[in-house]
Amino acid sequence: MVRRILLGAQLRRLREARGVSREEAGYAIRASESKISRMELGRVSFKQRDVADLLTLYGVTDESEREPLLGLARSSSRAGWWHSYSDVLPGWFQTYVGLEAAAESIGTYEVQFVPGLLQSERYAHAVVTSNFPTLAADEVDRRVALRMQRQKLLVSENAPRLHCVLDEAALCRPYGGREIMTEQLDLLAEFAEHPNVTLQVIPFASGGHIAVSGAFVVLSFAEAEISDVVYLEQLTGALYLDKGEEVQEYRKVLGGLADAALPPAETPGLLRGIAQRL
């Protein structure tokens, strides 16, 4: 998806620089003006022939200039690793996993449970079975395996920066019982030591705070062509907000939450205290 957005943005710049209308571009590849618009927004897949014809129309004839774009078209059609979990992965969440995998930084706030990227395997199993009590055992296992696969992102070569702010309530709800919750708190303490992870907790003692809208994620990308995205998960779907003013509002809320939370250096001590109370 991200590769499609990048390729579409470059094709749009080339078209505009050449003074070609969307209607003319569509005619060149036997498509409609709206198809060109969707291609330039990265909302449809690309055919090699179409990209080659458009590059010719836009005057890009040098192979050294054409090949990187044609290569981007080829790679944009490859399925991500998460497509092997399509049997348990809703279509609206596949989009999120793809964006998450391509993000340079991830900011998230959660109030009910530990976010999937930071869950232990047994805690993840407890969360899935609690949220979806009628799921078959094999489907539960597949969902847990997906979360564990996503978690590898945090220790990958191009790991994103993760800033996670948790309400203390998310840490005091013992999914799976005391033993599993203690294991989860230990794992969070380990993640807090990672150089690319900032973990903060808003303690009950701080009172109310700015996040009246509930949990959310802000995804940012290294590529200037890709807008930051706010992800809001709902019961049967999700919202993806990418308007600048909307994203900025959520960034302000995340900043306010970080100010209300304990400093990152105090997170391990708080985690130990919660574990002892359990």
Side-chain angles (χ1 to χ4, degrees):
M1 178 180 180
V2 170
R3 293 187 184 99
R4 292 202 306 265
I5 294 173
L6 289 173
L7 178 56
Q10 293 186 56
L11 289 175
R12 184 188 69 248
R13 284 199 298 269
L14 290 170
R15 178 182 60 77
E16 292 174 346
R18 194 73 172 181
V20 177
S21 69
R22 287 195 182 95
E23 183 179 5
E24 291 169 328
Y27 182 80
I29 63 168
R30 302 155 299 280
S32 65
E33 180 180 350
S34 63
K35 171 71 176 292
I36 294 297
S37 178
R38 293 195 299 274
M39 288 174 66
E40 292 181 350
L41 291 171
R43 292 177 178 170
V44 294
S45 58
F46 292 87
K47 295 179 181 177
Q48 286 284 107
R49 184 187 66 184
D50 289 345
V51 174
D53 289 346
L54 288 174
L55 291 176
T56 300
L57 177 65
Y58 302 155
V60 181
T61 56
D62 190 314
E63 282 303 313
S64 64
E65 295 180 54
R66 291 171 65 90
E67 183 50 37
L69 296 172
L70 291 171
L72 200 53
R74 287 191 294 271
S75 63
S76 71
S77 64
R78 297 184 195 132
W81 62 262
W82 52 90
H83 286 276
S84 63
Y85 290 92
S86 59
D87 56 322
V88 295
L89 195 60
W92 49 266
F93 193 63
Q94 287 188 36
T95 299
Y96 174 77
V97 176
L99 292 172
E100 179 185 75
E104 181 182 50
S105 66
I106 302 170
T108 183
Y109 166 68
E110 183 56 73
V111 66
Q112 182 171 343
F113 41 67
V114 174
L117 279 178
L118 300 176
Q119 292 179 2
S120 73
E121 187 168 354
R122 292 206 296 170
Y123 178 90
H125 191 279
V127 169
V128 172
T129 54
S130 175
N131 291 349
F132 306 98
T134 62
L135 283 185
D138 59 339
E139 186 169 348
V140 171
D141 291 342
R142 291 277 289 160
R143 292 189 180 219
V144 172
L146 171 63
R147 294 190 188 189
M148 296 302 100
Q149 188 68 30
R150 285 173 55 209
Q151 197 173 99
K152 293 179 181 178
L153 177 67
L154 295 179
V155 294
S156 65
E157 184 178 351
N158 297 311
R161 298 187 307 275
L162 173 65
H163 183 190
C164 177
V165 181
L166 293 173
D167 193 286
E168 187 174 353
L171 303 177
C172 293
R173 186 172 289 105
Y175 281 98
R178 287 180 293 178
E179 180 183 341
I180 289 176
M181 195 65 206
T182 300
E183 177 185 271
Q184 176 63 68
L185 293 170
D186 289 342
L187 181 62
L188 284 176
E190 291 179 23
F191 272 121
E193 299 296 325
H194 288 215
N196 59 310
V197 176
T198 300
L199 181 60
Q200 292 183 267
V201 179
I202 302 177
F204 291 136
S206 70
H209 52 67
I210 194 172
V212 296
S213 59
F216 63 89
V217 182
V218 181
L219 300 160
S220 300
F221 307 88
E223 298 83 0
E225 296 87 350
I226 305 177
S227 302
D228 292 353
V229 175
V230 173
Y231 172 74
L232 303 172
E233 188 168 313
Q234 300 175 332
L235 183 62
T236 58
L239 292 177
Y240 293 86
L241 309 179
D242 62 359
K243 292 182 180 178
E245 60 271 20
E246 292 178 320
V247 175
Q248 187 58 31
E249 283 300 310
Y250 278 91
R251 285 201 174 284
K252 285 168 58 179
V253 170
L254 190 61
L257 290 169
D259 291 340
L262 295 176
E266 297 183 26
T267 297
L270 179 63
L271 294 174
R272 286 194 297 271
I274 293 173
Q276 289 170 0
R277 293 201 299 273
L278 286 174

